[in-house]
Amino acid sequence: MAIDNAKLESIEALRKAGIEPYPYSYHVTTHAKEIKDNFSEFEGKEVSIAGRAMQLRQMGGITFIDVQDRSGKIQSLIRNNDLDQKSLIVLANASIGDTLGVRGIVMKSKRGEMSVGARELTMLSKTLRTLPNKWQGLTDTEARYRSRHVDLMMNQEVLRTFEIRAKFMHHVRDILDSRGGIEVETPILQDLYGGASAKPFTTTYHTLDDKQMFLRISDELYLKRLIIGGAERVYEVSKDFRNEDADSVHNPEFTQIEYYEAYSDYETFMKMMEDMLSSFVLKTFGSLKIDYQGETIDFTPPFARMYWVDELKNISGIDVSSISDEDLKRINEAEKLGLKHPDRYHVADSLFDKYLKGKTLQPTFVLDFPTYMCPLTKAKRGNSMLAERFELYVAKMEVANSYSELTDPLYQRKMFEEQERERKKGDDEAPPFDEEFLSAIEYGMPPTAGIGISIDRPAMVFTNQTSIKEVILFPPMKSIPLDEDSSGKK
RNA sequence: GGGCCCGUAGCUCAGCUCGGUAGAGCAUCUGGCUUUUAACCAGGUGGUCGUGGGUUCGAUUCCCACUGGGCCCGCCA
């Protein structure tokens, strides 16, 4: 049903004429956009383009085919009189969705449309499927994600989205490289998970006696061991996995780049992030201001700095740096936070969301967190209730998280012991005790700044998307029973 | 985990309120047309109406359950 008999007949017809519908290669000389952008240079010259036939308008002895390559579309103008015998057979057996090669002369049609006047037509891949209609295309969200290949054909802006995402990733790499960072790869499959609070995915390694292993929730502790070893500056493009619900800004697997720099503190990274984002936006969009969902976001440095514990105290009268246990319940009720287990961490976090998150449309450093929110962070100089940590927000989304890393091994052990107690009390997000990391840090870790830079969320901002799924090529989907028609049978 | 909305042809949708086994446009097929671009003109093909159950003489339509998706809320980045 999904496969069109007429297309199978075309394959037969082509083969009968000695034309292979699935050949090996084709010499492409240029792309659609290049021709259109530099038309006067190309006009009258011969080119070879290749791409998918997206529209086909036939009128007797002349056919117009809109050929789409990765740069865009260009019309090919095909007069039967200009074609050799083979090309005529290809044309007779061509349909929308086929991948074609067109060799011809760059020209304009009578109506002025920039075109390739075909001299030779080559079948590069005969489609068996029918493309979505040319007006509405493919808009059903589920169909778009499940069939991203069709989505890309029909909605070329999707490809642009992923190009921008890729550019941002390269930009971050370039900057970290230029600082002397060594790109490393650490285990995704881990014995123990840590470096964050989250439920892990588990798996089994059969040859190690069916040992239980975890997909990493963070690569932090491994990167710190490299710092302890003397690498000084290391980063990793890290796909992390957290076994939690997805929503518009969370996906169970997501990408962040973590970077550690010895002898620096979190102030260093505020400057770095300002440079990184502003230079990217300027380079990519030609301006420091971009539109996001009808709002203008201005990346001109310096970014706003929100000392949020102070600001929260001013607005709500609550000082989260020192909440007593008795206050937690009272605040949860008075502020209508609706927390089932109002511990200090969640109360403070909820108060931030309630009062301050809405103020972080523009790039904003939210800085200095209560120490109890930061088990891997050094206390703030001059205020032992706070820790030297910032989160960078853009468009009300957290896009980076940075600490002056905790390097005191005895204090670190204490923080781990506390986490272990939370874990035993039933907090299934608290990571397990990691003696290996503790023994590493006991060798002595230099003063170090660390940062995790989200890739997904900045990509959303730069491409004006409100769902993280739009910047992830293949978002996870529940499985559906395979229908027999899609199995490739006639 | 809770609430709301949705699933009909390859795609985009109508029909359901008020039950009588389906309709449009595009795609596809046949014919016509040598400058179209949502080409046009004429004719045709194409659907176990998400799945299962119930009510009914009869269900795409009403009811229930399940399933897949979207949005919002709660939680992690």
Side-chain angles (χ1 to χ4, degrees):
Chain A
M1 214 64 68
I3 291 179
D4 193 335
N5 276 320
K7 293 184 167 70
L8 294 172
E9 284 162 19
S10 287
I11 290 175
E12 298 258 320
L14 288 164
R15 289 220 165 103
K16 216 168 248 177
I19 298 166
E20 172 52 46
Y22 303 101
Y24 290 89
S25 65
Y26 186 74
H27 181 64
V28 177
T29 64
T30 187
H31 286 84
K33 187 170 189 299
E34 208 179 330
I35 296 172
K36 287 184 161 176
D37 287 351
N38 308 287
F39 183 76
S40 55
E41 286 166 44
F42 275 99
E43 191 167 17
K45 298 207 174 105
E46 184 175 283
V47 296
S48 292
I49 58 166
R52 194 177 293 271
M54 299 305 289
Q55 284 192 50
L56 192 151
R57 297 175 292 282
Q58 196 152 28
M59 46 211 60
I62 189 163
T63 306
F64 298 91
I65 297 180
D66 293 344
V67 176
Q68 174 174 286
D69 61 29
R70 76 173 199 188
S71 75
K73 277 183 227 175
I74 190 164
Q75 167 174 280
S76 71
L77 188 162
I78 303 158
R79 277 185 302 226
N80 290 3
N81 293 347
D82 294 338
L83 296 184
D84 57 35
Q85 195 55 34
K86 262 194 174 177
S87 299
L88 284 169
I89 294 167
V90 168
L91 180 63
N93 289 287
S95 58
I96 291 177
D98 291 345
T99 304
L100 298 171
V102 182
R103 182 177 61 77
I105 309 299
V106 174
M107 58 177 292
K108 274 192 179 169
S109 70
K110 277 187 185 164
R111 291 278 177 93
E113 177 78 14
M114 291 181 265
S115 308
V116 176
R119 297 292 178 274
E120 182 190 50
L121 215 53
T122 308
M123 178 61 71
L124 298 177
S125 188
K126 181 71 198 168
T127 184
L128 295 183
R129 297 270 180 165
T130 306
L131 256 44
N133 88 62
K134 63 195 168 207
W135 301 355
Q136 295 92 347
L138 187 70
T139 59
D140 181 80
T141 310
E142 181 178 0
R144 287 185 47 235
Y145 296 159
R146 287 192 195 275
S147 299
R148 189 64 99 175
H149 45 285
V150 182
D151 188 30
L152 286 164
M153 290 169 213
M154 301 309 297
N155 304 307
Q156 272 208 305
E157 66 279 6
V158 173
L159 185 56
R160 305 284 100 84
T161 293
F162 288 98
E163 283 172 357
I164 288 175
R165 181 190 164 108
K167 275 184 189 161
F168 179 62
M169 203 138 120
H170 279 278
H171 182 78
V172 176
R173 269 200 173 103
D174 284 346
I175 285 184
L176 298 182
D177 285 342
S178 73
R179 295 178 81 91
I182 302 168
E183 180 169 1
V184 298
E185 293 180 275
T186 68
I188 294 170
L189 214 48
Q190 302 181 343
D191 286 5
L192 284 179
Y193 59 97
S197 294
K199 276 173 254 177
F201 285 91
T202 60
T203 186
T204 308
Y205 188 11
H206 296 301
T207 61
L208 282 187
D209 300 328
D210 287 342
K211 173 179 167 178
Q212 186 184 42
M213 299 193 77
F214 306 96
L215 299 188
R216 69 177 166 208
I217 60 172
S218 161
D219 55 354
E220 172 158 355
L221 300 184
Y222 281 98
L223 294 181
K224 283 182 173 171
R225 285 163 69 178
L226 302 179
I227 295 293
I228 292 164
E232 293 185 7
R233 296 181 178 207
V234 290
Y235 71 91
E236 177 169 22
V237 177
S238 182
K239 196 63 116 39
D240 293 341
F241 304 85
R242 298 186 185 174
N243 206 339
E244 284 156 359
D245 283 352
D247 63 23
S248 62
V249 292
H250 295 89
N251 197 62
E253 64 178 287
F254 65 102
T255 307
Q256 60 175 331
I257 297 184
E258 288 209 28
Y259 173 58
Y260 290 83
E261 186 171 297
Y263 313 117
S264 296
D265 61 23
Y266 75 151
E267 288 286 349
T268 316
F269 282 167
M270 281 191 252
K271 177 79 172 62
M272 182 180 80
M273 289 310 296
E274 285 171 341
D275 291 345
M276 184 185 286
L277 295 186
S278 60
S279 62
F280 179 76
V281 168
L282 188 61
K283 182 172 74 177
T284 308
F285 304 104
S287 163
L288 284 166
K289 294 178 186 176
I290 63 172
D291 177 79
Y292 181 71
Q293 300 296 315
E295 310 260 19
T296 299
I297 297 186
D298 185 351
F299 288 88
T300 308
F303 298 164
R305 279 160 171 71
M306 178 193 282
Y307 293 88
W308 73 278
V309 172
D310 291 344
E311 192 148 341
L312 185 64
K313 191 156 66 177
N314 291 339
I315 294 176
S316 70
I318 300 167
D319 183 355
V320 292
S321 69
S322 57
I323 310 181
S324 69
D325 288 347
E326 307 87 70
D327 283 346
L328 289 171
K329 246 184 154 173
R330 184 183 56 73
I331 293 169
N332 185 34
E333 280 163 26
E335 297 288 335
K336 299 189 173 66
L337 301 179
L339 296 167
K340 274 171 254 161
H341 305 290
D343 56 32
R344 288 185 300 178
Y345 181 96
H346 286 100
V347 166
D349 204 43
S350 297
L351 288 171
F352 172 79
D353 284 354
K354 180 175 171 183
Y355 288 105
L356 299 171
K357 198 176 182 176
K359 299 181 172 184
T360 59
L361 175 68
Q362 299 302 325
T364 303
F365 293 112
V366 173
L367 61 160
D368 294 347
F369 285 63
T371 48
Y372 57 78
M373 296 180 87
C374 318
L376 298 163
T377 313
K378 274 199 173 112
K380 184 174 171 65
R381 282 159 271 197
N383 185 347
S384 62
M385 303 302 282
L386 297 178
E388 290 199 357
R389 167 182 179 182
F390 74 78
E391 289 182 346
L392 174 59
Y393 278 74
V394 177
K396 304 176 193 177
M397 292 185 285
E398 185 192 335
V399 301
N401 181 15
S402 173
Y403 316 142
S404 294
E405 300 291 343
L406 181 62
T407 54
D408 176 344
L410 298 175
Y411 188 62
Q412 181 70 80
R413 182 173 287 277
K414 251 173 67 185
M415 296 305 272
F416 273 18
E417 282 165 357
E418 195 161 305
Q419 277 189 338
E420 187 65 9
R421 277 195 294 277
E422 294 297 320
R423 196 178 151 72
K424 289 200 169 126
K425 269 197 274 176
D427 181 352
D428 52 1
E429 286 181 2
F433 200 84
D434 191 338
E435 188 60 54
E436 217 169 341
F437 174 71
L438 281 172
S439 90
I441 202 172
E442 283 165 5
Y443 279 93
M445 176 166 157
T448 299
I451 188 166
I453 302 162
S454 166
I455 296 299
D456 309 285
R457 291 175 180 176
M460 290 168 65
V461 175
F462 299 144
T463 59
N464 201 17
Q465 296 294 342
T466 56
S467 168
I468 197 168
K469 289 191 168 81
E470 292 293 341
V471 300
I472 290 172
L473 278 167
F474 299 101
M477 298 292 240
K478 291 188 186 170
S479 48
I480 46 173
L482 196 65
D483 89 67
E484 289 178 19
D485 286 333
S486 65
S487 64
K489 285 186 287 192
K490 286 187 200 179

